[in-house]
Amino acid sequence: MEGPVGLEAAEPRAERRPSGTRRGSGIVKPRLTYSRELEMKTTLQELLIYIIFLTDLCILTFGMVNTDMYYLNKVMSNLFLETSVSETDRTSFKAIGSMVDFWKFAEGPLLDGLYWDTWYNNNTLTSHKNSSHVYYENLLLGVAQIRQLKVRNNTCAIYPYFRTFLKECYHEYRYVAEDKSDFGLKNGSVWTYSSASSLAPWHWGALGLYSGGGFMFTLPKSKSESIRKLAYLRRNGWLTRGTRVVFIDFSVYNANINLFCVVRLVVEFPATGGALPSSQFYSVKLLRYVTYYDYFLASCEVIFCLFIFAFIIQEILKVKKLKTEYFKSAWNWLDMLLVSLSIFAIAFNMYRTVEVSLLMESLLSNAYVYPDFYFLAYWQTRYNNMIAINVFFAWIKIFKYISFNKTMTQLSSTLSRCAKDIIGFAIMFFIIFFAYAQLGYLVFGSQVDEFSTFQNCIFTQFRIVLGDFNFASIEQANRILGPIYFITFVFFVFFVLLNMFLAIINDTYSEVKADFAVIPSKEFEISDLIRQSYNKALVKLRLKKSKMEDLYPAGGSLQSLKNKGQSASKTEDALKLSRRSSVDEKGYLKSPQLQKWKEKLNQKYHSAENKELAGAPQDQVSPQEFQQLFRYATELEKRLNEVNVKLSRVLKSMPDLKGSPAKKQR
């Protein structure tokens, strides 16, 4: 009974021990432990499921955008931003520098771009009755709206010496200083302040943050009436000294590509005088389900919702199981971020679909009002940004499942080991960096656009590090401090600090690589697992023979043994003996005493394995001792390989030695 018990007891240990060896062609390979194999199988299954989720997410995100959005934005921007007033007057929207230029643009290129009632040969378009089609393809939705924001008089302090000369003072725009009182002729809504809806987003311009209300009016449906209305407002002084910004909003729809283009032209009038034009063009797909491909995307959205629902349940179960330990893992925080962004995306998608249908109903009921698609386009772009961030972090999460790769492990180990050094270096770097940023802002801020604000100084210095700079403008602003600032910044930041940063990472990577050189790689375990699964699949599909069939091929075992010099009787006796031993072994396996011993061995193994997984050893081992032990283990492994090769040669030569006396007798 000792024979079978010894086999049963030794076999599981050989399969599960981390440092066990497998002999084959003189190469020693570590065997997979049971827990390690189970962990890798679970990881590969999770990776496969996550790749399916990531594929579905990418299909959804790339289904929201296409190249037609870029071309539609380009066409509309060229029409309204580049078109000049006339061949002699080259004033365009980008060239607006005063209120006079604004009125020239509004009465010229703006109206020419909004109203297309004739063909290129001046024939009247009868098919577009009571509607305008920009470039004959883009339907103008409703009418355009023009809105301005003003500030009150005496909102700034005048120095006493100049109060006799200056009676009026208009500060830069602030919401508390906004003028909401009626002005001008006071005989219509054009001269009366209109409040914004509670959900209207504020506009972040170049000079300030502007509210959604103001003094506004809409343009008529015909071009001639619009010309008369704009001329009437210009003559009666609709723009005043207190005007700080003017918005021109309109929307078009292209049915050929099912895209809305929401346009906002902004002209800011700073307290210094002059004008600063800017623009926003949002090409968005608000009508989601039109073509068959859109319905395919709808099915992908349903699958995405199911994935998110499953992830939510999974995270809830993990929180209940791990409790406070759950929040100590960075991967768990990433999972929560992905789930949160996905929930917001699903909620906004539903809200957007309902809101667009309501806007369409109001637009179809009254085509002489301004449809506020800017609100939806604004939040659609924020939704796209959120989805882009979600996709980015979803791709980053793949590193969680490929951590068994040696290169990925080296990368993470390098970053974690040099984190403290990088933090200390970053403090020193940003002290010098911000010192130079303040110097540049104070010296060049009033003359160079790249240094006009402190934020611009920071980005400009990053551009200098990357080699993108304009030395001539710095030198022209200050002939002495300009070259000194540039040379010292490039020397200390680029040549010294940047190379120190690279040296920290390079040295740490060298240390990590040296440590990994003495640690056995686990990549082959993944390849072995995949190879085993592949072979099992081939055997089940009858595409490959099993090992038993290779050892005992049907009808050929006796003949092959005869060819090797053994008689058929001996072969049959050997087969009978093997059958008898197998029957005896089955009897031993059924014995109750053997079953008890087997259960004890399994309990002892599992308890020892759980202790290994649950906690680390209490004795602390220094890295030097750890490396020394691994060197000894590596040297021992080499010696064992040499002995294994020599034994293999001896075993191969033994049949020849046994067969030689028989040959001599013959």
Side-chain angles (χ1 to χ4, degrees):
M1 290 179 64
E2 290 182 359
V5 173
L7 289 173
E8 283 292 317
E11 189 174 356
R13 289 182 181 178
E15 290 179 357
R16 295 171 180 171
R17 58 185 178 182
S19 59
T21 58
R22 184 181 59 189
R23 187 170 60 193
S25 67
I27 299 175
V28 179
K29 293 185 179 180
R31 293 183 179 179
L32 292 174
T33 63
Y34 177 78
S35 59
R36 179 65 180 171
E37 183 178 356
L38 182 61
E39 179 186 356
M40 286 188 294
K41 284 184 178 180
T42 305
T43 303
L44 291 176
Q45 290 175 359
E46 291 179 356
L47 177 60
L48 180 61
I49 295 173
Y50 187 75
I51 288 176
I52 297 174
F53 165 75
L54 188 60
T55 303
D56 182 73
L57 180 60
C58 291
I59 291 174
L60 288 178
T61 52
F62 286 100
M64 297 188 306
V65 296
N66 53 58
T67 55
D68 294 329
M69 293 181 175
Y70 167 75
Y71 291 116
L72 182 58
N73 284 340
K74 184 178 180 181
V75 166
M76 301 301 291
S77 61
N78 288 339
L79 176 62
F80 290 99
L81 303 183
E82 305 291 343
T83 306
S84 58
V85 175
S86 62
E87 295 182 358
T88 57
D89 190 352
R90 307 304 298 175
T91 301
S92 62
F93 179 80
K94 289 185 176 180
I96 292 177
S98 63
M99 292 185 180
V100 176
D101 295 338
F102 170 79
W103 287 115
K104 288 182 180 179
F105 167 78
E107 298 179 37
L110 176 63
L111 297 183
D112 293 338
L114 289 176
Y115 299 101
W116 292 63
D117 50 4
T118 58
W119 194 244
Y120 62 88
N121 56 2
N122 294 326
N123 292 335
T124 303
L125 297 174
T126 57
S127 60
H128 297 166
K129 186 178 180 181
N130 202 24
S131 63
S132 176
H133 288 69
V134 180
Y135 276 119
Y136 313 111
E137 302 293 344
N138 305 283
L139 173 65
L140 179 64
L141 302 176
V143 294
Q145 175 184 271
I146 300 179
R147 174 172 64 96
Q148 72 158 320
L149 291 174
K150 301 169 54 182
V151 294
R152 297 188 304 271
N153 186 17
N154 297 324
T155 51
C156 52
I158 302 176
Y159 199 73
Y161 292 166
F162 294 94
R163 287 176 183 173
T164 57
F165 304 100
L166 302 174
K167 303 298 182 183
E168 296 179 345
C169 181
Y170 298 90
H171 201 268
E172 60 186 12
Y173 178 81
R174 292 176 183 172
Y175 182 71
V176 294
E178 188 174 336
D179 187 6
K180 300 181 180 180
S181 59
D182 298 347
F183 74 104
L185 301 180
K186 301 181 182 180
N187 58 357
S189 60
V190 179
W191 314 97
T192 304
Y193 184 86
S194 300
S195 300
S197 62
S198 58
L199 298 177
W202 287 31
H203 180 83
W204 188 6
L207 300 176
L209 189 63
Y210 304 100
S211 65
F215 301 89
M216 60 187 70
F217 66 92
T218 57
L219 295 176
K221 294 290 288 185
S222 66
K223 183 177 181 180
S224 58
E225 294 179 4
S226 299
I227 292 175
R228 289 195 295 268
K229 188 168 186 176
L230 289 175
Y232 166 78
L233 295 174
R234 174 174 52 81
R235 287 193 303 267
N236 290 279
W238 189 68
L239 296 181
T240 65
R241 284 187 59 191
T243 300
R244 287 293 171 258
V245 64
V246 177
F247 300 96
I248 304 173
D249 297 297
F250 58 92
S251 305
V252 297
Y253 173 69
N254 191 309
N256 301 332
I257 53 179
N258 188 27
L259 287 179
F260 290 82
C261 185
V262 182
V263 182
R264 168 166 284 186
L265 306 177
V266 184
V267 181
E268 299 177 75
F269 298 97
T272 59
L276 296 175
S278 60
S279 60
Q280 291 179 344
F281 293 86
Y282 296 140
S283 290
V284 292
K285 186 177 181 179
L286 298 178
L287 299 176
R288 300 286 293 173
Y289 311 113
V290 178
T291 62
Y292 290 110
Y293 181 70
D294 294 335
Y295 287 104
F296 167 72
L297 293 178
S299 62
C300 293
E301 290 176 355
V302 174
I303 298 173
F304 177 77
C305 293
L306 295 177
F307 268 112
I308 297 302
F309 181 72
F311 290 158
I312 292 173
I313 296 176
Q314 182 181 7
E315 296 305 315
I316 292 174
L317 294 177
K318 288 172 66 176
V319 171
K320 288 184 177 180
K321 181 179 180 181
L322 301 176
K323 296 183 180 180
T324 56
E325 294 294 328
Y326 174 85
F327 301 97
K328 295 182 180 180
S329 174
W331 294 116
N332 293 335
W333 283 99
L334 181 60
D335 292 337
M336 288 192 297
L337 177 63
L338 292 175
V339 171
S340 302
L341 292 177
S342 301
I343 292 173
F344 282 124
I346 294 171
F348 178 80
N349 199 8
M350 297 171 63
Y351 171 77
R352 184 263 318 279
T353 304
V354 175
E355 192 67 23
V356 169
S357 62
L358 295 177
L359 271 176
M360 288 299 175
E361 291 179 1
S362 62
L363 176 63
L364 294 175
S365 61
N366 188 0
Y368 294 89
V369 297
Y370 165 70
D372 190 10
F373 282 98
Y374 180 81
F375 170 76
L376 286 176
Y378 175 84
W379 288 110
Q380 178 67 33
T381 54
R382 300 303 177 270
Y383 167 77
N384 293 343
N385 296 339
M386 180 177 62
I387 290 297
I389 296 173
N390 199 3
V391 172
F392 172 78
F393 284 115
W395 279 99
I396 294 298
K397 189 182 174 181
I398 294 182
F399 288 107
K400 176 182 178 181
Y401 300 105
I402 60 175
S403 57
F404 51 77
N405 183 267
K406 183 179 180 181
T407 305
M408 296 298 104
T409 308
Q410 287 181 354
L411 175 62
S412 60
S413 300
T414 302
L415 295 178
S416 60
R417 185 176 296 187
C418 68
K420 293 182 179 179
D421 295 334
I422 290 179
I423 292 173
F425 169 79
I427 295 173
M428 178 180 62
F429 175 83
F430 283 108
I431 288 174
I432 299 176
F433 192 84
F434 284 122
Y436 272 100
Q438 293 180 6
L439 175 63
Y441 174 65
L442 296 175
V443 175
F444 315 115
S446 60
Q447 302 181 52
V448 183
D449 180 54
E450 288 82 0
F451 294 87
S452 58
T453 63
F454 187 72
Q455 293 85 351
N456 289 348
C457 291
I458 295 174
F459 291 117
T460 301
Q461 290 187 161
F462 278 116
R463 290 169 55 191
I464 292 175
V465 172
L466 296 175
D468 181 15
F469 55 86
N470 186 2
F471 176 74
S473 61
I474 298 175
E475 185 182 23
Q476 186 177 2
N478 195 311
R479 294 180 178 274
I480 299 176
L481 293 179
I484 294 175
Y485 162 84
F486 181 79
I487 293 173
T488 56
F489 177 80
V490 171
F491 176 77
F492 285 109
V493 176
F494 184 76
F495 289 106
V496 178
L497 296 179
L498 189 60
N499 285 284
M500 285 179 62
F501 173 74
L502 296 177
I504 291 172
I505 297 180
N506 190 26
D507 292 343
T508 308
Y509 179 73
S510 300
E511 295 176 1
V512 172
K513 195 173 182 180
D515 293 343
F516 273 80
V518 297
I519 298 176
S521 175
K522 296 181 180 179
E523 290 183 359
F524 63 89
E525 295 182 357
I526 297 296
S527 61
D528 287 346
L529 179 63
I530 296 174
R531 191 182 301 111
Q532 291 174 8
S533 303
Y534 175 72
N535 291 333
K536 289 179 181 178
L538 292 180
V539 170
K540 289 182 179 180
L541 295 174
R542 305 284 184 180
L543 298 176
K544 185 179 179 180
K545 295 181 179 180
S546 64
K547 292 183 179 180
M548 296 301 296
E549 291 177 351
D550 292 337
L551 292 175
Y552 301 103
S557 60
L558 296 177
Q559 188 66 29
S560 61
L561 291 174
K562 286 180 181 179
N563 294 335
K564 290 183 179 180
Q566 296 183 0
S567 62
S569 60
K570 292 183 179 180
T571 305
E572 292 176 358
D573 294 340
L575 291 175
K576 291 179 181 179
L577 182 62
S578 63
R579 294 192 192 103
R580 188 182 306 163
S581 62
S582 62
V583 172
D584 295 339
E585 185 178 353
K586 291 179 181 178
Y588 283 129
L589 291 175
K590 294 180 180 179
S591 63
Q593 186 178 1
L594 181 60
Q595 292 294 332
K596 292 180 181 179
W597 288 344
K598 189 174 180 180
E599 291 176 0
K600 289 181 180 179
L601 288 172
N602 288 333
Q603 291 177 0
K604 183 178 179 181
Y605 166 73
H606 284 297
S607 61
E609 186 181 26
N610 293 333
K611 288 180 180 178
E612 285 183 355
L613 296 176
Q618 296 179 357
D619 297 335
Q620 299 293 331
V621 180
S622 64
Q624 292 80 9
E625 295 176 348
F626 180 75
Q627 293 180 6
Q628 188 177 6
L629 289 173
F630 265 107
R631 293 192 189 98
Y632 290 155
T634 306
E635 185 67 25
L636 181 60
E637 186 179 4
K638 291 181 181 178
R639 297 293 177 86
L640 290 175
N641 283 334
E642 294 176 0
V643 173
N644 194 6
V645 172
K646 292 179 180 179
L647 287 174
S648 299
R649 293 175 181 174
V650 171
L651 292 175
K652 289 180 180 179
S653 61
M654 287 180 66
D656 297 335
L657 295 175
K658 292 180 179 179
S660 57
K663 292 179 180 178
K664 291 179 180 179
Q665 290 178 1
R666 289 179 183 178

